[in-house]
Amino acid sequence: MKSSDRMELSSCLFALRNVNHSYRRGQRIIPVLTTINLVIERGQTCALVGASGSGKSTLLNILGLLEHPTSGRLVFGGQNMQTAGADQLANLRNRDIGFVFQAFNLLPRLSVLDNVALPLSYRGVPRREARVFAQEQLALVGLAERGSCRPADLSGGQRQRVAIARALVGRPTLILADEPTGNLDSQTATDIMTLLLGLNRDHGVTLVMVTHDGELAKRFDRQIRVIGGELHEESAHEAF
Ligand SMILES: Nc1ncnc2c1ncn2[C@@H]1O[C@H](COP(=O)(O)OP(=O)(O)O)[C@@H](O)[C@H]1O
Ligand SMILES: [Mg+2]
């Protein structure tokens, strides 16, 4: 390995090289992303912006190892994802990535504490231990007192904070958030952004977020716009 390659591997979390993605609808092939080249460094904050239907969620799902690109190369944490098996992908998703969605996606029948503990249960962490970690994460998002509530007892902003605690409980390297403030009023949205950016600043979590809101996007290190299936970036970190 050349030393320049090793340098890239150490600071680089993702590298997408000539990634294309299309969906098939019946006989038709619908191209969504074309020749995407993108490097995301560890600890960066990236906002993905663009019109509805431009492919932001598709790109986020590729980064989250939920969607396999139709062609091209995806390197995650120094490993080539093209040759990774389903088990390895599921392990990486579970250990390294926390997801936050617009619709919160909490389980209504579980308590707030058990919702947060869920990713640890999937890993086989004993329930009592999982609940201790979950309680710590709830405290971190300012909901230490609400663990025994059901999600329905909380406001939208509080539910999204629970979802963020759940995303963090496994100590991921990366948080992927798809319009996490899309269902929230603007003050609550600002508070959630402050929370996410604080986690990046204080804990070094890499953050990639889809947002419609240009003002929120300005608070990120990088703003990457998806237009016509291509990426456009107006900052020092050029997408290439
Ligand atoms: N699972 C799918 N099957 C077929 N088409 C899809 C699928 N997911 C997304 N698309 C299409 O891909 C395009 C990009 O979608 P998406 O990535 O969700 O855009 P955005 O998040 O920017 O609104 C849209 O035309 C959408 O209809
Ligand atoms: Mg979307």
Side-chain angles (χ1 to χ4, degrees):
M1 191 174 4
K2 287 187 302 193
S3 66
S4 58
D5 287 346
R6 206 172 295 129
M7 286 268 295
E8 180 182 293
L9 288 183
S10 59
S11 64
C12 157
L13 184 59
F14 283 115
L16 278 71
R17 305 274 183 211
N18 297 323
V19 162
N20 293 283
H21 197 68
S22 49
Y23 291 107
R24 179 183 282 275
R25 213 173 279 159
Q27 299 292 342
R28 283 175 54 217
I29 304 280
I30 299 153
V32 177
L33 298 172
T34 42
T35 329
I36 301 294
N37 285 291
L38 175 68
V39 172
I40 297 177
E41 310 277 331
R42 289 179 194 277
Q44 275 186 337
T45 58
C46 298
L48 295 178
V49 295
S52 177
S54 59
K56 304 179 296 297
S57 295
T58 302
L59 179 57
L60 205 74
N61 289 341
I62 289 173
L63 295 176
L65 313 177
L66 290 166
E67 191 91 61
H68 223 52
T70 310
S71 67
R73 207 158 100 92
L74 169 61
V75 177
F76 177 72
Q79 299 179 65
N80 182 357
M81 291 296 109
Q82 245 55 15
T83 52
D87 283 354
Q88 193 187 350
L89 290 173
N91 263 329
L92 285 168
R93 269 199 306 274
N94 191 256
R95 304 220 157 244
D96 284 338
I97 305 176
F99 293 93
V100 180
F101 302 96
Q102 179 172 356
F104 320 136
N105 294 8
L106 301 174
L107 298 183
R109 288 173 189 278
L110 292 188
S111 71
V112 160
L113 187 67
D114 286 334
N115 265 282
V116 175
L118 206 57
L120 296 179
S121 310
Y122 290 147
R123 280 189 203 178
V125 175
R127 185 150 188 254
R128 195 207 295 236
E129 204 178 317
R131 289 180 131 212
V132 170
F133 283 121
Q135 182 59 35
E136 280 173 21
Q137 295 310 312
L138 275 179
L140 194 69
V141 301
L143 292 173
E145 314 297 321
R146 310 309 294 270
S148 59
C149 299
R150 304 278 146 173
D153 301 328
L154 303 180
S155 70
Q158 288 173 328
R159 282 184 226 178
Q160 195 56 300
R161 284 195 273 154
V162 174
I164 292 168
R166 179 186 57 187
L168 285 169
V169 77
R171 303 234 182 279
T173 325
L174 167 72
I175 290 196
L176 297 175
D178 199 347
E179 308 207 38
T181 61
N183 283 339
L184 304 175
D185 64 74
S186 70
Q187 182 55 52
T188 311
T190 304
D191 294 345
I192 290 288
M193 283 324 308
T194 302
L195 173 65
L196 285 171
L197 291 167
L199 293 167
N200 164 263
R201 193 188 54 233
D202 301 338
H203 303 274
V205 184
T206 309
L207 179 61
V208 181
M209 187 185 80
V210 172
T211 182
H212 265 107
D213 186 327
E215 285 305 307
L216 291 183
K218 283 188 194 148
R219 297 177 64 186
F220 284 64
D221 297 330
R222 303 172 65 180
Q223 293 102 44
I224 299 167
R225 187 169 293 277
V226 188
I227 308 174
E230 295 178 355
L231 303 189
H232 298 263
E233 184 168 9
E234 300 132 24
S235 75
H237 307 274
E238 284 297 320
F240 58 89

